[in-house]
Amino acid sequence: MKQKIFTKKYYEELEAKLGENMPKYTDPNFSWEEEAKDNIIELDFEAPDLSGMLDYADSHEAKDDGKAAKILFLAYHNLTPLQAAQRQFWQYLSHITLYEYMRRRWPTINEANCPESYVKEHWFYGSGLIRNCLEGMYWSVKCSAIDKGNGEYDFTYTDFFFSIQKIRDRGIGAATFIMSNPALVRGMLKFYMDELKKQENNKSKRDDEPKEDTVFDKFFEYRTDKCIQLVNKLGGVVDLSTYTESDIYEFLDSNREYIKSVGDRKKEKKEREAAQNKEQKNAINIGNHKQNRKHKKRKK
């Protein structure tokens, strides 16, 4: 059976009419294939078997998302860049071919009071490409897997990418300027992996043994955010498309002391807010004191 996709017009209508279509989404028996039958076209290659993804549909573990993502990627690793960029391709999969996977992976859709924002985020692009389930999974593997040739891939970086949800959802995966360049993704992942390995090695050492220097001895989320900010600033000075995996790794390594300077942002925020509140109270007290003095002078 040939691979099928929605027409571009039908996909755009789906996105535009999401609100009025919500009763269809929350109805597990509704058939998008039946409704879209006049808006489906065939491509020139056979549709692959994606049934293996259902083995991971009921899990909310990041690593199981990674296993399903590898099945999806390997099924479509020969997609052209144009095909992979067509949103109607992914929407056909999420509404028809992998509709059962989607409904089980994101089960709130089966509830009558499922919010529109939930469908917008996981079926469409409410929070960016990576949060869109299927296309985000595909590109996460595409940018992290190393092609060994003959259809074989090294998924070392991919497995790590999917092992920590925050890196993919709100870290590297949320930075489109990084995700557009696989070399940047792999270089940053290698840096993270090596630094975390040092941290693990340190845990096994005795107190009297020297510890390896690592930027992730604490505040992992905040310091990975700083890595992304540094790369973003670098992109304002140089053409990041010319950077290799090693280049970006060495750049982060050369800035390790600056990355380590990042502390507990939540604590720092509370301290700033407390200081601001204290300043405001002092200003109010000074203002009240001046008014009282003026009032006393008038009485005299």
Side-chain angles (χ1 to χ4, degrees), residues 58-295:
D58 299 316
S59 172
H60 289 183
E61 299 247 348
K63 62 181 181 180
D64 286 333
D65 281 345
K67 292 174 183 176
K70 284 188 280 188
I71 292 173
L72 180 67
F73 171 76
L74 289 172
Y76 292 114
H77 73 281
N78 284 326
L79 285 180
T80 67
L82 178 60
Q83 289 169 334
Q86 291 180 322
R87 292 188 171 184
Q88 61 267 34
F89 175 87
W90 301 107
Q91 291 308 310
Y92 179 87
L93 294 183
S94 64
H95 284 75
I96 296 179
T97 307
L98 290 170
Y99 199 43
E100 182 182 354
Y101 172 86
M102 293 290 290
R103 296 191 74 89
R104 285 167 54 183
R105 177 61 184 85
W106 306 104
T108 301
I109 196 175
N110 297 303
E111 301 173 7
N113 61 346
C114 174
E116 179 182 333
S117 59
Y118 186 83
V119 177
K120 185 174 183 180
E121 181 162 334
H122 300 301
W123 268 258
F124 294 90
Y125 299 85
S127 298
L129 183 147
I130 292 301
R131 291 295 291 171
N132 173 274
C133 185
L134 300 181
E135 187 171 1
M137 290 165 71
Y138 171 85
W139 282 107
S140 293
V141 182
K142 176 77 171 175
C143 289
S144 58
I146 299 175
D147 189 351
K148 297 167 63 178
N150 300 318
E152 295 185 1
Y153 291 85
D154 179 347
F155 291 118
T156 302
Y157 293 150
T158 303
D159 291 338
F160 175 75
F161 201 15
F162 278 91
S163 69
I164 304 176
Q165 195 73 35
K166 290 179 180 178
I167 293 180
R168 210 172 70 87
D169 284 357
R170 296 191 292 275
I172 292 175
T176 55
F177 67 94
I178 294 177
M179 288 298 291
S180 63
N181 187 335
L184 296 186
V185 174
R186 294 195 291 266
M188 293 189 74
L189 290 176
K190 179 170 174 52
F191 181 75
Y192 291 179
M193 291 167 67
D194 285 353
E195 292 300 312
L196 287 175
K197 186 175 181 180
K198 292 177 186 177
Q199 184 186 24
E200 287 302 311
N201 291 339
N202 288 340
K203 290 179 181 178
S204 64
K205 293 183 177 180
R206 299 191 309 270
D207 291 341
D208 60 341
E209 289 185 299
K211 304 293 192 297
E212 293 184 88
D213 177 61
T214 171
V215 300
F216 297 139
D217 55 334
K218 57 181 73 173
F219 311 127
F220 177 76
E221 182 178 354
Y222 303 149
R223 291 181 180 179
T224 52
D225 284 346
K226 180 56 67 175
C227 291
I228 293 169
Q229 291 169 14
L230 283 170
V231 175
N232 188 26
K233 289 181 180 179
L234 178 66
V237 180
V238 301
D239 181 5
L240 290 177
S241 66
T242 65
Y243 266 51
T244 65
E245 180 181 320
S246 297
D247 289 335
I248 204 66
Y249 184 102
E250 291 173 8
F251 168 74
L252 291 174
D253 190 55
S254 67
N255 283 279
R256 60 187 307 105
E257 292 305 318
Y258 182 60
I259 297 169
K260 285 180 67 176
S261 70
V262 176
D264 187 338
R265 292 192 312 203
K266 288 183 179 179
K267 181 180 179 181
E268 292 169 356
K269 182 181 179 182
K270 286 181 180 179
E271 291 175 347
R272 286 196 304 271
E273 290 175 346
Q276 289 172 354
N277 290 335
K278 186 176 181 180
E279 289 178 4
Q280 289 175 353
K281 287 181 180 179
N282 289 338
I284 292 172
N285 290 335
I286 292 172
N288 290 338
H289 180 66
K290 288 181 178 180
Q291 287 183 343
N292 289 335
R293 288 179 60 186
K294 287 181 181 179
H295 184 64

